[in-house]
Amino acid sequence: MLNATVTIDPAFRVAPVNRRTFGSFVEHLGRCVYTGIFEPGHPAADEDGLRKDVLDLTREMGVSVVRYPGGNFVSGYRWEDGVGPVSERPRRLDLAWHSTETNEFGLNEFARWARKAGVEPMMAVNLGTRGVHEALDVLEYANHPSGTRLSELRRQHGAPDAHDIALWCLGNELDGPWQIGHKTAREYGRLAAETARAMRMIDKNLELVACGSSSSSMPTFGTWEAEVLDEAFDHVDYISCHAYYQEHDGDMASFLASAVDMDHFIGSVVATADHIAARKKSRKRIGVSFDEWNVWYQSKYHETGNPQDWPVAPRLLEDEYNVADAVVVGNLLVSLLRNSDRVAVACQAQLANVIAPIRSEPGGSAWRQTTFHPFAITSRLATGDVLQVEIASPSTQTSRHGEVDLVDAVATYDDDAGDVSVFLVNRSTDDEVAVELDARAIGPRTVVEAVGIHGDDLYATNTESNPDRVVPQPNASVRLDNGRLSAVLPKASWTALRLSTAS
Ligand code: AHR
């Protein structure tokens, strides 16, 4: 058994817990929309064709904000195809995912779904094949109350009230050569700046996200952010980060330490944004919109099938998540919380079926993947302020991230309620870790909850026929004595503790 210490003190605060950390993403991709959140005729569908079982799971997961409609999809999308009488909506080729888009689901359906799910909508505009004009049109259609052609059209389409969408992404991953309308950083930066400037003429309070890099391994990473912000700094609020992790060639040690890369990614983007601020002699701070993050077994994804086939809602990217994936997702949330002073929005990609915590079958059931659990528990327990955590941990050598701590942690503290939450990860596959948590500066008196995800079989998954094979387990080792807590973290595990100052 290894040993580690974790010290928390309410004097050292990072920032208030930002509810937008617990975002998700719905793209017109595979079965995320069709037979995911939307399936008219399904036994659990409501009057709008929305799956109530998936809505229930979305609420249970504690999702706060949902990005829509893409992703790569948005770079060829015509938003107006998805509004108005369904029978008149065109079927189109979706080049991004080699599918047929029926457009049965569009902006107003999404806004209705978001209301029912209790989430804030976050819209992306197409800056791949389109530009300023169409971004203004969709903004006017969505947000202008009434009295103009587009706002009246929305009202005729059965949405009398403006959708009041505050968060807008200015395109998607335009640094990527796979993106329809791929651009250089200067080309994109100019377009983002002009689109943002014009959108603010409609509503100066919008929160606008410029595209950052599609991953920190892009050859243009760093330069892209600097050049885009050089053009668009004054006009945008946030710059996006996208990151997907997977176990490569059996290298579990590196995979379990994926959050080290996320920390590095956020730190590099923040440094770049602040460098541009310094050059512009500005005190403005650009936030990070980590609007795509997850575990994704990208190496398993190959475009297959007959190029003549353009299927509707095909099974794409339906990754089945295991125990190790859930531990990594829990650790990525630790990283996002730790960086709450700069991470303004974060969206796990995606919500249903497509690299998703929620799975559903057409005409069948919906269930929680392993990765559902750390997200739901963190969203429920992270309250108040994020605290800086002092960790003394044994370390290990990894091939992708160098030497890394085996224990990672973050804590939150809600003074008013007297609640302390601590989220801990043991990245060792060989050893349990005995953790001593020194919380004397807060003085918790009771352990309200101690649960975690771990298991002898790191590759165990939840399936339609066995949906609860991997569920959170109570951690019975936890002891609390005079503000000092001891707990044993199982091998390769994620653990959440809720302590209270009430007796
Ligand atoms: O989330 C899946 C895809 O990953 C998105 O469409 C794209 O933005 C990213 O490359």
Side-chain angles (χ1 to χ4, degrees), residues 25 27 29 71-73 97 172-173 178 242 244 292 296 317 349-350 355:
F25 177 30
E27 177 169 3
L29 192 183
N72 295 343
F73 171 79
W97 300 108
N172 179 72
E173 293 191 349
W178 59 85
H242 291 180
Y244 294 101
E292 287 189 32
W296 174 9
L317 322 187
Q350 301 191 3
I355 46 172

PDB file of all heavy atoms in Angstrom, residues 25 27 29 71-73 97 172-173 178 242 244 292 296 317 349-350 355, ligand 1:
ATOM      1  N   PHE A  25     -23.023  17.902 -25.117  1.00  0.00           N
ATOM      2  CA  PHE A  25     -22.973  18.275 -26.532  1.00  0.00           C
ATOM      3  C   PHE A  25     -23.903  17.350 -27.309  1.00  0.00           C
ATOM      4  O   PHE A  25     -23.843  16.127 -27.142  1.00  0.00           O
ATOM      5  CB  PHE A  25     -21.512  18.118 -26.977  1.00  0.00           C
ATOM      6  CG  PHE A  25     -21.194  18.371 -28.417  1.00  0.00           C
ATOM      7  CD1 PHE A  25     -21.922  19.265 -29.182  1.00  0.00           C
ATOM      8  CD2 PHE A  25     -20.120  17.710 -29.019  1.00  0.00           C
ATOM      9  CE1 PHE A  25     -21.596  19.502 -30.500  1.00  0.00           C
ATOM     10  CE2 PHE A  25     -19.779  17.939 -30.341  1.00  0.00           C
ATOM     11  CZ  PHE A  25     -20.523  18.836 -31.079  1.00  0.00           C
ATOM     12  N   GLU A  27     -24.817  16.654 -31.198  1.00  0.00           N
ATOM     13  CA  GLU A  27     -24.511  16.930 -32.604  1.00  0.00           C
ATOM     14  C   GLU A  27     -25.404  16.072 -33.484  1.00  0.00           C
ATOM     15  O   GLU A  27     -25.773  14.953 -33.108  1.00  0.00           O
ATOM     16  CB  GLU A  27     -23.031  16.610 -32.891  1.00  0.00           C
ATOM     17  CG  GLU A  27     -22.658  16.814 -34.358  1.00  0.00           C
ATOM     18  CD  GLU A  27     -21.154  16.779 -34.642  1.00  0.00           C
ATOM     19  OE1 GLU A  27     -20.374  16.541 -33.702  1.00  0.00           O
ATOM     20  OE2 GLU A  27     -20.784  17.004 -35.811  1.00  0.00           O
ATOM     21  N   LEU A  29     -25.109  13.713 -35.499  1.00  0.00           N
ATOM     22  CA  LEU A  29     -24.040  12.752 -35.816  1.00  0.00           C
ATOM     23  C   LEU A  29     -24.554  11.389 -35.373  1.00  0.00           C
ATOM     24  O   LEU A  29     -24.943  11.238 -34.190  1.00  0.00           O
ATOM     25  CB  LEU A  29     -22.782  13.125 -35.022  1.00  0.00           C
ATOM     26  CG  LEU A  29     -21.429  12.494 -35.322  1.00  0.00           C
ATOM     27  CD1 LEU A  29     -20.373  12.979 -34.339  1.00  0.00           C
ATOM     28  CD2 LEU A  29     -21.384  11.029 -35.496  1.00  0.00           C
ATOM     29  N   GLY A  71     -19.915  20.791 -33.645  1.00  0.00           N
ATOM     30  CA  GLY A  71     -19.304  19.673 -34.316  1.00  0.00           C
ATOM     31  C   GLY A  71     -19.086  19.888 -35.824  1.00  0.00           C
ATOM     32  O   GLY A  71     -19.425  20.901 -36.421  1.00  0.00           O
ATOM     33  N   ASN A  72     -18.414  18.907 -36.386  1.00  0.00           N
ATOM     34  CA  ASN A  72     -18.093  18.959 -37.818  1.00  0.00           C
ATOM     35  C   ASN A  72     -19.345  19.188 -38.652  1.00  0.00           C
ATOM     36  O   ASN A  72     -19.292  19.802 -39.723  1.00  0.00           O
ATOM     37  CB  ASN A  72     -17.421  17.648 -38.249  1.00  0.00           C
ATOM     38  CG  ASN A  72     -16.072  17.441 -37.571  1.00  0.00           C
ATOM     39  OD1 ASN A  72     -15.481  18.371 -37.035  1.00  0.00           O
ATOM     40  ND2 ASN A  72     -15.582  16.208 -37.591  1.00  0.00           N
ATOM     41  N   PHE A  73     -20.477  18.678 -38.165  1.00  0.00           N
ATOM     42  CA  PHE A  73     -21.736  18.811 -38.896  1.00  0.00           C
ATOM     43  C   PHE A  73     -22.063  20.276 -39.188  1.00  0.00           C
ATOM     44  O   PHE A  73     -22.550  20.618 -40.262  1.00  0.00           O
ATOM     45  CB  PHE A  73     -22.865  18.162 -38.077  1.00  0.00           C
ATOM     46  CG  PHE A  73     -24.248  18.420 -38.608  1.00  0.00           C
ATOM     47  CD1 PHE A  73     -24.732  17.706 -39.695  1.00  0.00           C
ATOM     48  CD2 PHE A  73     -25.064  19.379 -38.021  1.00  0.00           C
ATOM     49  CE1 PHE A  73     -26.018  17.952 -40.194  1.00  0.00           C
ATOM     50  CE2 PHE A  73     -26.340  19.622 -38.510  1.00  0.00           C
ATOM     51  CZ  PHE A  73     -26.814  18.903 -39.595  1.00  0.00           C
ATOM     52  N   TRP A  97     -20.305  13.544 -41.867  1.00  0.00           N
ATOM     53  CA  TRP A  97     -20.438  12.180 -41.350  1.00  0.00           C
ATOM     54  C   TRP A  97     -20.994  11.218 -42.397  1.00  0.00           C
ATOM     55  O   TRP A  97     -21.451  10.136 -42.068  1.00  0.00           O
ATOM     56  CB  TRP A  97     -21.293  12.194 -40.069  1.00  0.00           C
ATOM     57  CG  TRP A  97     -20.640  13.053 -39.038  1.00  0.00           C
ATOM     58  CD1 TRP A  97     -21.056  14.287 -38.624  1.00  0.00           C
ATOM     59  CD2 TRP A  97     -19.415  12.793 -38.323  1.00  0.00           C
ATOM     60  NE1 TRP A  97     -20.180  14.805 -37.696  1.00  0.00           N
ATOM     61  CE2 TRP A  97     -19.164  13.909 -37.500  1.00  0.00           C
ATOM     62  CE3 TRP A  97     -18.507  11.725 -38.307  1.00  0.00           C
ATOM     63  CZ2 TRP A  97     -18.041  13.986 -36.665  1.00  0.00           C
ATOM     64  CZ3 TRP A  97     -17.397  11.803 -37.477  1.00  0.00           C
ATOM     65  CH2 TRP A  97     -17.176  12.922 -36.668  1.00  0.00           C
ATOM     66  N   ASN A 172     -16.659  25.740 -35.902  1.00  0.00           N
ATOM     67  CA  ASN A 172     -16.144  24.546 -35.228  1.00  0.00           C
ATOM     68  C   ASN A 172     -14.844  24.077 -35.863  1.00  0.00           C
ATOM     69  O   ASN A 172     -14.786  23.900 -37.092  1.00  0.00           O
ATOM     70  CB  ASN A 172     -17.172  23.406 -35.329  1.00  0.00           C
ATOM     71  CG  ASN A 172     -16.681  22.125 -34.671  1.00  0.00           C
ATOM     72  OD1 ASN A 172     -16.600  22.036 -33.464  1.00  0.00           O
ATOM     73  ND2 ASN A 172     -16.326  21.128 -35.493  1.00  0.00           N
ATOM     74  N   GLU A 173     -13.821  23.893 -35.060  1.00  0.00           N
ATOM     75  CA  GLU A 173     -12.566  23.241 -35.462  1.00  0.00           C
ATOM     76  C   GLU A 173     -12.088  23.661 -36.855  1.00  0.00           C
ATOM     77  O   GLU A 173     -11.749  22.800 -37.679  1.00  0.00           O
ATOM     78  CB  GLU A 173     -12.699  21.714 -35.395  1.00  0.00           C
ATOM     79  CG  GLU A 173     -12.854  21.205 -33.982  1.00  0.00           C
ATOM     80  CD  GLU A 173     -12.728  19.687 -33.845  1.00  0.00           C
ATOM     81  OE1 GLU A 173     -12.715  18.973 -34.862  1.00  0.00           O
ATOM     82  OE2 GLU A 173     -12.648  19.221 -32.698  1.00  0.00           O
ATOM     83  N   TRP A 178      -9.823  18.398 -41.986  1.00  0.00           N
ATOM     84  CA  TRP A 178     -11.025  17.598 -42.252  1.00  0.00           C
ATOM     85  C   TRP A 178     -12.279  18.462 -42.246  1.00  0.00           C
ATOM     86  O   TRP A 178     -13.342  18.030 -42.666  1.00  0.00           O
ATOM     87  CB  TRP A 178     -11.182  16.509 -41.174  1.00  0.00           C
ATOM     88  CG  TRP A 178     -11.286  17.084 -39.791  1.00  0.00           C
ATOM     89  CD1 TRP A 178     -12.417  17.534 -39.176  1.00  0.00           C
ATOM     90  CD2 TRP A 178     -10.210  17.325 -38.893  1.00  0.00           C
ATOM     91  NE1 TRP A 178     -12.114  18.035 -37.934  1.00  0.00           N
ATOM     92  CE2 TRP A 178     -10.756  17.911 -37.730  1.00  0.00           C
ATOM     93  CE3 TRP A 178      -8.826  17.097 -38.945  1.00  0.00           C
ATOM     94  CZ2 TRP A 178      -9.981  18.285 -36.638  1.00  0.00           C
ATOM     95  CZ3 TRP A 178      -8.059  17.469 -37.850  1.00  0.00           C
ATOM     96  CH2 TRP A 178      -8.639  18.051 -36.712  1.00  0.00           C
ATOM     97  N   HIS A 242     -10.519  21.464 -27.513  1.00  0.00           N
ATOM     98  CA  HIS A 242     -11.115  20.146 -27.723  1.00  0.00           C
ATOM     99  C   HIS A 242     -10.058  19.091 -27.414  1.00  0.00           C
ATOM    100  O   HIS A 242      -8.913  19.215 -27.878  1.00  0.00           O
ATOM    101  CB  HIS A 242     -11.566  19.960 -29.178  1.00  0.00           C
ATOM    102  CG  HIS A 242     -12.741  20.808 -29.555  1.00  0.00           C
ATOM    103  ND1 HIS A 242     -13.296  20.799 -30.818  1.00  0.00           N
ATOM    104  CD2 HIS A 242     -13.492  21.683 -28.837  1.00  0.00           C
ATOM    105  CE1 HIS A 242     -14.334  21.632 -30.851  1.00  0.00           C
ATOM    106  NE2 HIS A 242     -14.459  22.186 -29.670  1.00  0.00           N
ATOM    107  N   TYR A 244      -9.651  14.662 -26.794  1.00  0.00           N
ATOM    108  CA  TYR A 244     -10.172  13.305 -26.615  1.00  0.00           C
ATOM    109  C   TYR A 244      -9.014  12.403 -26.233  1.00  0.00           C
ATOM    110  O   TYR A 244      -7.926  12.517 -26.786  1.00  0.00           O
ATOM    111  CB  TYR A 244     -10.816  12.804 -27.917  1.00  0.00           C
ATOM    112  CG  TYR A 244     -12.064  13.573 -28.299  1.00  0.00           C
ATOM    113  CD1 TYR A 244     -12.032  14.561 -29.275  1.00  0.00           C
ATOM    114  CD2 TYR A 244     -13.277  13.306 -27.672  1.00  0.00           C
ATOM    115  CE1 TYR A 244     -13.175  15.266 -29.626  1.00  0.00           C
ATOM    116  CE2 TYR A 244     -14.429  14.005 -28.022  1.00  0.00           C
ATOM    117  CZ  TYR A 244     -14.374  14.983 -28.996  1.00  0.00           C
ATOM    118  OH  TYR A 244     -15.513  15.674 -29.339  1.00  0.00           O
ATOM    119  N   GLU A 292     -15.446  20.467 -26.174  1.00  0.00           N
ATOM    120  CA  GLU A 292     -15.454  19.032 -26.523  1.00  0.00           C
ATOM    121  C   GLU A 292     -14.354  18.362 -25.723  1.00  0.00           C
ATOM    122  O   GLU A 292     -13.170  18.690 -25.901  1.00  0.00           O
ATOM    123  CB  GLU A 292     -15.205  18.810 -28.022  1.00  0.00           C
ATOM    124  CG  GLU A 292     -16.374  19.192 -28.895  1.00  0.00           C
ATOM    125  CD  GLU A 292     -16.190  18.770 -30.350  1.00  0.00           C
ATOM    126  OE1 GLU A 292     -15.539  17.740 -30.613  1.00  0.00           O
ATOM    127  OE2 GLU A 292     -16.694  19.508 -31.222  1.00  0.00           O
ATOM    128  N   TRP A 296     -12.444   8.914 -26.166  1.00  0.00           N
ATOM    129  CA  TRP A 296     -12.970   8.510 -27.490  1.00  0.00           C
ATOM    130  C   TRP A 296     -11.927   7.589 -28.119  1.00  0.00           C
ATOM    131  O   TRP A 296     -10.775   8.016 -28.308  1.00  0.00           O
ATOM    132  CB  TRP A 296     -13.212   9.754 -28.357  1.00  0.00           C
ATOM    133  CG  TRP A 296     -13.619   9.474 -29.787  1.00  0.00           C
ATOM    134  CD1 TRP A 296     -13.951   8.281 -30.345  1.00  0.00           C
ATOM    135  CD2 TRP A 296     -13.744  10.446 -30.848  1.00  0.00           C
ATOM    136  NE1 TRP A 296     -14.278   8.445 -31.679  1.00  0.00           N
ATOM    137  CE2 TRP A 296     -14.157   9.759 -32.001  1.00  0.00           C
ATOM    138  CE3 TRP A 296     -13.548  11.836 -30.926  1.00  0.00           C
ATOM    139  CZ2 TRP A 296     -14.378  10.401 -33.225  1.00  0.00           C
ATOM    140  CZ3 TRP A 296     -13.765  12.476 -32.141  1.00  0.00           C
ATOM    141  CH2 TRP A 296     -14.178  11.758 -33.276  1.00  0.00           C
ATOM    142  N   LEU A 317     -19.523   5.920 -33.938  1.00  0.00           N
ATOM    143  CA  LEU A 317     -18.792   6.289 -32.710  1.00  0.00           C
ATOM    144  C   LEU A 317     -19.525   5.838 -31.452  1.00  0.00           C
ATOM    145  O   LEU A 317     -19.552   6.568 -30.452  1.00  0.00           O
ATOM    146  CB  LEU A 317     -18.541   7.803 -32.631  1.00  0.00           C
ATOM    147  CG  LEU A 317     -18.186   8.586 -33.895  1.00  0.00           C
ATOM    148  CD1 LEU A 317     -17.826  10.021 -33.527  1.00  0.00           C
ATOM    149  CD2 LEU A 317     -17.071   7.958 -34.657  1.00  0.00           C
ATOM    150  N   ALA A 349     -18.334  15.559 -24.760  1.00  0.00           N
ATOM    151  CA  ALA A 349     -18.851  15.194 -26.075  1.00  0.00           C
ATOM    152  C   ALA A 349     -18.941  13.670 -26.143  1.00  0.00           C
ATOM    153  O   ALA A 349     -17.919  13.029 -25.975  1.00  0.00           O
ATOM    154  CB  ALA A 349     -17.915  15.712 -27.161  1.00  0.00           C
ATOM    155  N   GLN A 350     -20.157  13.170 -26.421  1.00  0.00           N
ATOM    156  CA  GLN A 350     -21.412  13.865 -26.605  1.00  0.00           C
ATOM    157  C   GLN A 350     -22.408  13.328 -25.592  1.00  0.00           C
ATOM    158  O   GLN A 350     -21.997  12.581 -24.704  1.00  0.00           O
ATOM    159  CB  GLN A 350     -21.887  13.683 -28.031  1.00  0.00           C
ATOM    160  CG  GLN A 350     -20.858  14.228 -29.037  1.00  0.00           C
ATOM    161  CD  GLN A 350     -21.326  14.344 -30.470  1.00  0.00           C
ATOM    162  OE1 GLN A 350     -22.463  14.069 -30.801  1.00  0.00           O
ATOM    163  NE2 GLN A 350     -20.431  14.751 -31.365  1.00  0.00           N
ATOM    164  N   ILE A 355     -20.105   8.497 -28.576  1.00  0.00           N
ATOM    165  CA  ILE A 355     -19.112   8.696 -27.501  1.00  0.00           C
ATOM    166  C   ILE A 355     -19.788   9.315 -26.273  1.00  0.00           C
ATOM    167  O   ILE A 355     -19.397  10.372 -25.800  1.00  0.00           O
ATOM    168  CB  ILE A 355     -17.882   9.512 -27.981  1.00  0.00           C
ATOM    169  CG1 ILE A 355     -18.275  10.759 -28.782  1.00  0.00           C
ATOM    170  CG2 ILE A 355     -16.947   8.650 -28.787  1.00  0.00           C
ATOM    171  CD1 ILE A 355     -17.072  11.687 -29.107  1.00  0.00           C
TER     172      ILE A 355
HETATM  173  O1  AHR B   1     -17.473  14.954 -31.214  1.00  0.00           O
HETATM  174  C1  AHR B   1     -17.143  14.340 -32.431  1.00  0.00           C
HETATM  175  C2  AHR B   1     -16.381  15.260 -33.376  1.00  0.00           C
HETATM  176  O2  AHR B   1     -15.122  15.522 -32.818  1.00  0.00           O
HETATM  177  C3  AHR B   1     -16.965  16.634 -33.597  1.00  0.00           C
HETATM  178  O3  AHR B   1     -17.913  16.656 -34.616  1.00  0.00           O
HETATM  179  C4  AHR B   1     -15.765  17.435 -33.993  1.00  0.00           C
HETATM  180  O4  AHR B   1     -15.892  18.799 -33.644  1.00  0.00           O
HETATM  181  C5  AHR B   1     -14.616  16.752 -33.292  1.00  0.00           C
HETATM  182  O5  AHR B   1     -13.558  16.512 -34.145  1.00  0.00           O
END
